[in-house]
Structures are given as structure tokens and as C-alpha cells.
Amino acid sequence: MQAAMIYGVKDLRVEEVAKPKIAQGEVLVRIKAATTCGTDLKIFQRGYVEGIIKLPTVFGHEWAGEVAGVSDGLSWPKVGMRIRAGNSAPCLRCHMCQKGSFNLCEDMIWLWGAYAEYVKVPARMVLVNMQEVPSHVTFEEAAITEPLACVLRGIERANVKLDDSVAIIGAGPIGLLHLLTVRKMGAGKIIMTDLVDERLQIARELGADETVNVQREDAVTTVKELTNEYGADVVIEAIGLPSTWEQALKMARKGGTVLEFGGCPPNTEIKISTELLHYGDVTVVGAFHATPPHFKKALSLIANGTIDVKPLITRRMPLGKIKDAFEILSTSKKDVKIAINP
Ligand SMILES: [Zn+2]
Ligand SMILES: [Zn+2]
């Protein structure tokens, strides 16, 4: 079968590799769509993501497809069923899982290899993180279940309430998914910041009330101005840089919540004012990944039309052109997510 292998910085090759063979409890899936993600782009641009992958490797982790093979004795799923799965499966047995922190499982199985014709789903993932995709949901929409699941968990931590003003730093795919979600949750004024006008345009089309281009305006000053000098009730950082993590803290109102969502480079730190936490009574939360219930919820929200992820897919390309897809994402201002069709 054809599969994309990443060897290093911008060294991405589509190669002929052996089609996976399934063992007890496993399922083979013919991938129908895989969507690009900020994490994949980081791997392409930097060559690695600390602690997650070793090169060379297959990659890509947002996907959906059709069941092509089921190991003996499994009663579900059936061959031909449309499904999505992954990209993680907690063990349910470790200390973290027993505490209910399934996203922090100490024995997590991660599944990579969405940019390929087939993927083998491990037995544990079949049990805890695979769902049937309803017939009216396209494979590319179903692939976006993964990032939406992570966003849903982050937003739970951010405690967004009706009519809350929300400032979102970064209008990339993750910032836009936060926008779509808080809009549906009844947020009040939503303000988005980014460096790129084209992305802010997309944010307005998807429901942002105000947009701030940080090349021209000071983000903190503008968010304060737009919130009667109070600051936003909830601030969401969706870029992953220590500087924007710190900026997020300065945008929140007293008593507000800051969700530091974007993953920063390894070994980085930020400064937090003790007065902000004490006198400002600000809550700062982090968020990592998602749990199986979040994946299930994300797929249902896509399927019932609550979160319309279609506008996030701005281009479709065949697997053979995957390197071009990542070159485009590295330079294009207009593309949000590209659906790869193997
Ligand atoms: Zn992703
Ligand atoms: Zn565990």
C-alpha cells in the first residue's frame, strides 16, 4: 500500500509499504480521508515533536474510513462499516485512568499513520475509541472529530457561561474550532486575534464579532477596549507560544478564566503575576488532549449539525501530493485544513 513517511524536516515521502496484518481484536481500515493538523505541520517543519514520535515514521492522526478487515471473534465493527477512531486509547487501569484522567493515561496507545491507504486499529482502541460514522457525515468531517474532542475538553475547563465575552488568540484550525464551539454555547462577544487578515476574515465568516490583527493593533489594549476596559470573561490561547500564553493572562477580566490551550515548545516557561492570581482572582487552566467520551461527543456534535466543521476544510488533495499539501500549509494564508484522500 501507499503511505507517507516523514524522515526529517520537510522530508516527506510517499512510499510503498506492507499492508498491515491484523491480529486478535484488531481492525483494518481503508482510509477515506485524513485531515491535516497543526501538530502534523510542526512535525513537517521541525522534524519532530518531543516525546511523541521517532523518525522515520508514518504520520497523520485525524482520519475516517471504511472497515476492510476484522479479526476473528470480533462482533463489532462489521466489514464495510464507516468508522472513525483514535488517535489515542487509554488503558483504563493505570492510576490516572482510575482517577478518571483518561487523557493523562500512563500507558496510552497513540495511533499514527493516517496518511496512508490502510491503517490497523489496535484492539484497545477498537474497544474504547472507535465510532460508527453516520451515513450523512462525510469522511473528512468525521476526521475532524479528533481536534474537536480536544477543544471540547479545553472548553469544559474554561467554564464558558452564557453571554461571556471570549477572546481567542490565534485563528488557525484550533482557534476556529474554539470559536465555533463557544458560539454555540451562547458566548457573548467573541474577539479573535491573529497576524493574518485572511484568517481573521474566515473567523468573521464563522461568527467572530470582532477581529484584531496584531500586526497593526496591540492585542491586549484592543481586547480591553472592546470589553469596557474589563478584559474578557474567558481568554483562550490557541497558538502555543510562551509570549501568547503570557498575553492571554493580560486579556482576562478580574475573576475571569484563562485557558492555555496551545502546546508550547519543550522546556519553556511563562511568568505569572501573583497579584493577577490573588487580587485579580483569575483562574488559569491548561488542557491536554481528550478522553474517549469527548471523542464520542465531538462526533455527535458534527453529525447533528451543532458544530459545522465543513468550512475548515479549504482544499482536498490526493495522498501522492501530500508534500505539496504541507508546503501549502507552510506558506498559504487562506488554507485552514487540507483533506488528504488516499
Ligand atoms: Zn490533530
Ligand atoms: Zn491508563
Side-chain angles (χ1 to χ4, degrees):
M1 68 163 187
Q2 301 270 298
M5 297 284 291
I6 184 131
Y7 281 81
V9 177
K10 300 197 171 181
D11 187 358
L12 178 57
R13 312 172 199 169
V14 176
E15 294 181 345
E16 192 65 32
V17 303
K19 190 166 147 184
K21 287 197 172 57
I22 47 173
Q24 188 62 42
E26 296 175 339
V27 169
L28 183 71
V29 181
R30 174 77 174 91
I31 292 174
K32 293 290 192 172
T35 44
T36 60
C37 160
T39 309
D40 300 339
L41 186 60
K42 275 186 208 169
I43 296 170
F44 180 74
Q45 289 173 332
R46 296 190 202 151
Y48 72 98
V49 166
E50 194 111 339
I52 301 185
I53 58 162
K54 289 214 174 356
L55 302 175
T57 180
V58 292
F59 85 138
H61 60 277
E62 301 177 4
W63 59 274
E66 236 167 53
V67 175
V70 176
S71 72
D72 290 343
L74 261 192
S75 57
W76 185 95
K78 302 285 183 210
V79 170
M81 189 182 272
R82 305 167 85 244
I83 62 99
R84 64 134 323 259
N87 64 330
S88 64
C91 73
L92 314 184
R93 241 193 330 261
C94 73
H95 181 71
M96 293 299 171
C97 284
Q98 297 274 307
K99 284 282 182 184
S101 300
F102 302 110
N103 57 314
L104 301 177
C105 173
E106 295 167 297
D107 184 26
M108 190 79 95
I109 290 177
W110 296 99
L111 182 60
W112 296 85
Y115 303 131
E117 287 181 279
Y118 291 90
V119 70
K120 180 175 79 170
V121 183
R124 188 203 288 172
M125 196 171 286
V126 174
L127 288 177
V128 304
N129 197 0
M130 176 185 271
Q131 296 93 31
E132 183 171 10
V133 175
S135 58
H136 70 280
V137 177
T138 63
F139 289 109
E140 57 190 32
E141 290 171 77
I144 298 180
T145 298
E146 189 273 331
L148 180 59
C150 302
V151 163
L152 294 181
R153 181 168 181 284
I155 285 176
E156 272 176 18
R157 309 255 296 150
N159 192 24
V160 178
K161 294 183 286 299
L162 287 171
D163 199 38
D164 273 355
S165 54
V166 180
I168 303 172
I169 303 174
I174 287 292
L176 294 170
L177 278 171
H178 277 100
L179 162 66
L180 291 170
T181 308
V182 298
R183 184 86 285 166
K184 286 291 176 173
M185 290 173 76
K189 184 181 280 182
I190 304 177
I191 308 162
M192 290 202 73
T193 76
D194 202 275
L195 288 161
V196 178
D197 282 327
E198 285 86 343
R199 294 208 166 220
L200 293 171
Q201 174 64 33
I202 297 171
R204 279 192 297 277
E205 286 163 14
L206 295 184
D209 299 294
E210 304 279 353
T211 55
V212 184
N213 186 317
V214 298
Q215 307 225 63
R216 294 193 296 271
E217 290 171 89
D218 179 69
V220 174
T221 311
T222 314
V223 167
K224 286 270 167 84
E225 275 168 15
L226 291 168
T227 53
N228 292 325
E229 299 303 327
Y230 284 107
D233 296 314
V234 175
V235 182
I236 299 170
E237 197 280 355
I239 292 184
L241 288 174
S243 57
T244 41
W245 276 46
E246 287 183 354
Q247 189 182 57
L249 300 167
K250 297 182 180 129
M251 284 181 181
R253 76 157 164 88
K254 286 188 173 179
T257 303
V258 176
L259 167 63
E260 304 284 22
F261 189 89
C264 292
N267 304 313
T268 48
E269 291 180 356
I270 59 162
K271 255 193 183 149
I272 300 185
S273 146
T274 53
E275 289 176 30
L276 180 91
L277 291 191
H278 182 70
Y279 298 108
D281 204 10
V282 164
T283 305
V284 182
V285 295
F288 174 69
H289 199 55
T291 71
H294 292 104
F295 286 91
K296 173 124 181 48
K297 204 183 282 187
L299 180 61
S300 339
L301 292 173
I302 292 170
N304 66 26
T306 304
I307 309 284
D308 180 9
V309 296
K310 287 190 281 294
L312 301 184
I313 298 159
T314 47
R315 203 185 281 261
R316 290 159 188 89
M317 294 174 81
L319 180 61
K321 293 263 188 256
I322 188 161
K323 190 170 181 209
D324 298 345
F326 280 100
E327 294 287 0
I328 289 169
L329 289 172
S330 304
T331 53
S332 160
K333 298 178 170 182
K334 287 197 293 263
D335 280 288
V336 181
K337 277 179 171 290
I338 299 179
I340 303 294
N341 303 113

